[in-house]
Amino acid sequence: MVIALGLEGSANKLGIGVIKDGEVLSNCRRTYITPPGEGFLPKETAEHHRKNVISVLRDALNQSGVKPAEIDVICYTKGPGMGAPLASVAVVARTLAQLWDKPLLGVNHCIGHIEMGRLITKATNPTVLYVSGGNTQVIAYSRHKYRIFGETIDIAVGNCLDRFARVLKLPNDPSPGYNIEQMAKKGKKFIELPYCVKGMDVSFSGILTFMEERADKFLKQGYSPEDLCFSLQETLFAMLVETTERALAHCDSREVLIVGGVGCNERLQEMMKQMCEERGAKLFATDERFCIDNGVMIAQAGYEMFKSGTRMKWEECFITQRYRTDEVEVTWRED
Amino acid sequence: MEGFELFRQGAEGRIFKGVYLGKPAIAKERFVKKYRHPDLDSHLTKERIKSESRSIIRCKSAGIRTPALYLVDFNRRTIFMEYFENSIVVKDFIAQASNEVISKLALKIGAVLGKMHANSIIHGDLTTSNMLLVNKNGQKSYSNLQDLELIFIDFGLSHVESSAEDKGVDLYVLERALISTHSTASEIFDQVLEGYKLENKSGFKEVLAKFKEVQARGRKRTMVG
Ligand SMILES: Nc1ncnc2c1ncn2[C@@H]1O[C@H](COP(=O)(O)OP(=O)(O)OP(=O)(O)O)[C@@H](O)[C@H]1O
Ligand SMILES: [Mg+2]
């Protein structure tokens, strides 16, 4: 039996969770929410995490019913992410490890998403679409690495959505993407937007600029904000589904797993499901508890690393803003 | 499409095999993708069909061998083209070939790509799934590289562009496809560049610089969860 504690704070979500041999014992989260029209900045986000980390930790431990002495390993997000928020949480993880005399593991955030998705959905060897505020990648496993087949060549899809939400001054609560999704449901008229796919790679910056420059004009022409959200979502998601399908064909894979915050968008899931059905593949997705950044996913990836024998020296337990998914040696998979 | 039978479901559409005017042919049907908005779907499909046929013709006039174009049918969203009976996908070929053979093949890949770029053809989807090796003697044998002709396929994402930027991106897409698919990717890619230099002498320096720039952009991109 292995019990892992996971701490995550690479962006504006602070999450702490406990997992015991694949069973989620607790999964607590608090989100730093900025006023409409504003994004979150590193300094303020780190401040939010520092202010809340002790009480979230207490909640996570209480809900899990686990005593510190029973914990086998402490896992934290090593990267990628924003420097200051990452550091604010890593410091706590380091302190706990010393206080309770436990091994410490730095976990790659993206790997956390993938392993949590695999655990919850039971997908065995899926082609993974990882879509969040900071990342857009199409990933497949081979030869002990999660390999990046496609990715954005500029900004992440979540970033594109968030920044467009600022143009329309949509609230950031619970998240800009969620509010765009609700608006898009009421959209009717489709506006043709730039569509940019290069093989398995995508580019979103052109669409964002196009929207930023023309949003006012479209609104004056009689398009509603809902139409704009609808058109944007349809276009962005079509690009994601297309590149995922290309990777699926290239890898001869029959499973798709969507992870990351944008992954809880139901329209994206629906489109992906249609694509899968057309080619006899199966879609796996999770809801916001596990899709959106959380602590338990860091615990789960750390648990896998720990069980397969990974140990980190104190000096290795730093943080890094850049940390690619394919840098991590996957020691816990046999295939 | 009488007499045509389904042979593969690619990413873009279904590939059927049959006979067109007495010649072995494939029909690539870009069927309606229900997941996307109908306006977007018909727009993209039309674009892709146009790109694919345009680039095949442009390749032909540049002396680059591709499947010959037989018929374009916009109503049925289908392109009919030459079928290569005795062919192996480069991805599968590399999986079983020796490093020495792979290195020679990589040189060829670079040479064909260099020639394409010298003629302002950007492929747009360079992977080892989109390259075939065809036996020139009409045999089902792929053991001797000398008997095999390298053919690029799948020009749906291609476009015509003379700038170095797009060529750099094309190389970047290829490099990443190699890294994700093949364990000796960096050796393969080095040889690709060697071959490329031979066929696109004048453009090489500028394209390489652009490629490095695109690559650096990718590495520098910070990723926030
Ligand atoms: N002319 C041809 N002769 C023989 N085989 C072919 C030919 N064209 C395509 N194929 C086979 O069909 C597969 C898919 O073709 P193509 O790449 O043109 O379509 P696609 O829909 O883009 O598929 P994918 O993205 O999966 O490669 C190729 O990888 C190859 O195996
Ligand atoms: Mg193809």
Side-chain angles (χ1 to χ4, degrees):
Chain A
M1 193 186 70
V2 173
I3 296 181
L5 173 75
L7 299 94
E8 149 68 27
S10 61
N12 68 333
K13 268 80 65 184
L14 171 67
I16 303 182
V18 179
I19 203 156
K20 177 174 110 184
D21 291 329
E23 183 193 344
V24 177
L25 300 183
S26 66
N27 184 15
C28 301
R29 177 168 53 211
R30 221 163 279 174
T31 305
Y32 171 55
I33 291 172
T34 45
E38 282 175 40
F40 54 92
L41 299 170
K43 187 166 157 261
E44 288 76 18
T45 309
E47 217 171 272
H48 166 269
H49 291 358
R50 277 196 297 273
K51 248 186 235 151
N52 289 281
V53 67
I54 298 302
S55 86
V56 176
L57 176 63
R58 204 165 270 143
D59 289 350
L61 286 175
N62 287 343
Q63 280 180 30
S64 72
V66 165
K67 290 183 205 64
E70 296 171 295
I71 293 171
D72 295 290
V73 58
I74 293 173
C75 319
Y76 73 98
T77 308
K78 184 170 179 174
M82 290 174 137
L86 277 172
S88 70
V89 175
V91 163
V92 177
R94 278 176 161 239
T95 310
L96 293 177
Q98 286 203 312
L99 202 63
W100 297 337
D101 194 23
K102 304 286 177 191
L104 185 61
L105 285 178
V107 172
N108 178 297
H109 180 89
C110 319
I111 301 279
H113 274 297
I114 297 172
E115 290 307 335
M116 199 63 207
R118 286 181 66 222
L119 173 74
I120 297 292
T121 64
K122 306 273 185 305
T124 47
N125 187 22
T127 296
V128 181
L129 175 67
Y130 171 30
V131 274
S132 65
N135 285 288
T136 305
Q137 297 180 338
V138 183
I139 300 161
Y141 173 83
S142 94
R143 297 171 277 123
H144 295 285
K145 288 268 172 80
Y146 283 110
R147 306 204 180 253
I148 303 169
F149 281 77
E151 64 183 318
T152 173
I153 60 171
D154 39 60
I155 59 172
V157 63
N159 189 249
C160 183
L161 289 168
D162 293 357
R163 284 161 70 178
F164 181 66
R166 275 179 240 161
V167 174
L168 292 183
K169 295 271 188 329
L170 300 181
N172 292 323
D173 190 10
S175 75
Y178 178 84
N179 293 321
I180 289 185
E181 180 177 7
Q182 304 319 311
M183 302 266 288
K185 284 180 186 163
K186 288 172 248 150
K188 289 198 175 61
K189 283 186 272 179
F190 180 74
I191 308 168
E192 211 157 292
L193 305 176
Y195 184 100
C196 192
V197 159
K198 294 178 198 296
M200 290 180 253
D201 289 340
V202 287
S203 155
F204 298 121
S205 65
I207 304 179
L208 180 64
T209 318
F210 183 92
M211 283 305 242
E212 283 171 343
E213 283 169 359
R214 292 177 185 71
D216 279 338
K217 201 186 92 197
F218 285 130
L219 293 173
K220 280 193 198 107
Q221 282 174 354
Y223 290 102
S224 65
E226 286 80 3
D227 292 335
L228 300 190
C229 292
F230 168 69
S231 305
L232 180 66
Q233 262 197 188
E234 288 300 310
T235 308
L236 297 179
F237 296 169
M239 289 165 59
L240 294 173
V241 176
E242 177 179 353
T243 45
T244 305
E245 182 168 20
R246 195 158 286 125
L248 214 58
H250 182 73
C251 302
D252 267 324
S253 164
R254 304 237 146 248
E255 295 177 336
V256 174
L257 170 67
I258 310 182
V259 300
V262 181
C264 42
N265 186 301
E266 286 172 9
R267 177 62 186 141
L268 174 61
Q269 292 186 9
E270 178 186 50
M271 289 167 74
M272 195 66 88
K273 190 152 181 262
Q274 276 169 331
M275 180 278 281
C276 285
E277 276 164 6
E278 275 165 12
R279 53 183 310 118
K282 197 164 181 273
L283 172 68
F284 298 90
T286 60
D287 61 42
E288 57 80 34
R289 286 171 301 164
F290 304 111
C291 240
I292 294 180
D293 291 351
N294 60 83
V296 79
M297 70 186 216
I298 301 302
Q300 172 59 12
Y303 161 90
E304 294 283 11
M305 291 162 71
F306 184 76
K307 258 188 51 181
S308 64
T310 306
R311 299 292 180 272
M312 283 182 182
K313 292 198 210 90
W314 192 248
E315 309 86 80
E316 289 173 87
C317 292
F318 49 87
I319 58 137
T320 168
Q321 285 178 259
R322 274 171 221 139
Y323 190 9
R324 285 179 65 84
T325 314
D326 53 8
E327 279 175 50
V328 178
E329 183 74 23
V330 179
T331 48
W332 54 93
R333 280 182 68 163
E334 309 274 314
D335 52 338
Chain B
M1 289 195 306
E2 230 170 284
F4 275 80
E5 28 181 286
L6 186 64
F7 147 73
R8 257 205 67 144
Q9 177 151 356
E12 287 251 349
R14 300 196 179 101
I15 316 276
F16 298 85
K17 211 167 88 180
V19 178
Y20 181 83
L21 296 180
K23 288 174 281 193
I26 63 156
K28 182 166 173 176
E29 185 205 4
R30 293 180 157 90
F31 62 91
V32 176
K33 303 264 176 177
K34 284 194 228 77
Y35 70 79
R36 61 191 175 203
H37 192 280
D39 293 358
L40 179 60
D41 185 68
S42 57
H43 172 80
L44 286 177
T45 300
K46 222 174 265 160
E47 286 298 308
R48 304 272 160 93
I49 292 178
K50 268 195 258 173
S51 297
E52 181 143 39
S53 26
R54 201 179 281 148
S55 290
I56 287 180
I57 291 167
R58 205 177 163 94
C59 279
K60 186 170 181 173
S61 65
I64 301 163
R65 185 85 160 87
T66 64
L69 187 64
Y70 293 157
L71 180 78
V72 181
D73 185 336
F74 280 105
N75 288 329
R76 281 191 287 180
R77 309 162 69 108
T78 302
I79 299 185
F80 293 79
M81 52 191 155
E82 174 182 9
Y83 172 66
F84 296 105
E85 297 270 7
N86 304 300
S87 72
I88 181 169
V89 179
V90 165
K91 179 181 166 215
D92 300 334
F93 180 87
I94 289 180
Q96 48 84 53
S98 71
N99 286 342
E100 195 190 332
V101 172
I102 295 174
S103 159
K104 283 193 190 128
L105 171 62
L107 207 64
K108 270 197 194 195
I109 294 174
V112 177
L113 183 59
K115 198 164 176 187
M116 265 168 47
H117 281 185
N119 285 281
S120 303
I121 303 162
I122 312 296
H123 184 280
D125 188 13
L126 290 170
T127 65
T128 46
S129 300
N130 287 335
M131 302 170 196
L132 301 178
L133 284 167
V134 179
N135 186 303
K136 289 183 257 186
N137 311 320
Q139 284 159 347
K140 274 228 164 338
S141 145
Y142 312 106
S143 50
N144 200 345
L145 191 60
Q146 272 148 12
D147 297 334
L148 304 177
E149 185 174 17
L150 174 70
I151 286 166
F152 282 53
I153 59 166
D154 199 358
F155 287 84
L157 294 179
S158 67
H159 64 279
V160 174
E161 172 64 63
S162 54
S163 81
E165 166 84 21
D166 288 27
K167 295 172 190 173
V169 172
D170 225 16
L171 278 174
Y172 180 64
V173 167
L174 175 62
E175 186 203 29
R176 300 250 330 289
L178 290 171
I179 293 173
S180 50
T181 313
H182 302 288
S183 57
T184 56
S186 74
E187 288 83 358
I188 300 177
F189 193 68
D190 288 346
Q191 283 303 304
V192 168
L193 290 181
E194 283 304 310
Y196 189 100
K197 206 175 352 184
L198 297 174
E199 286 294 331
N200 188 7
K201 269 193 207 82
S202 58
F204 181 70
K205 251 180 86 184
E206 205 192 338
V207 173
L208 188 71
K210 276 292 171 194
F211 160 72
K212 292 250 164 79
E213 204 183 296
V214 179
Q215 196 188 39
R217 250 185 264 155
R219 288 201 181 129
K220 259 192 262 158
R221 197 177 317 120
T222 51
M223 304 197 289
V224 183

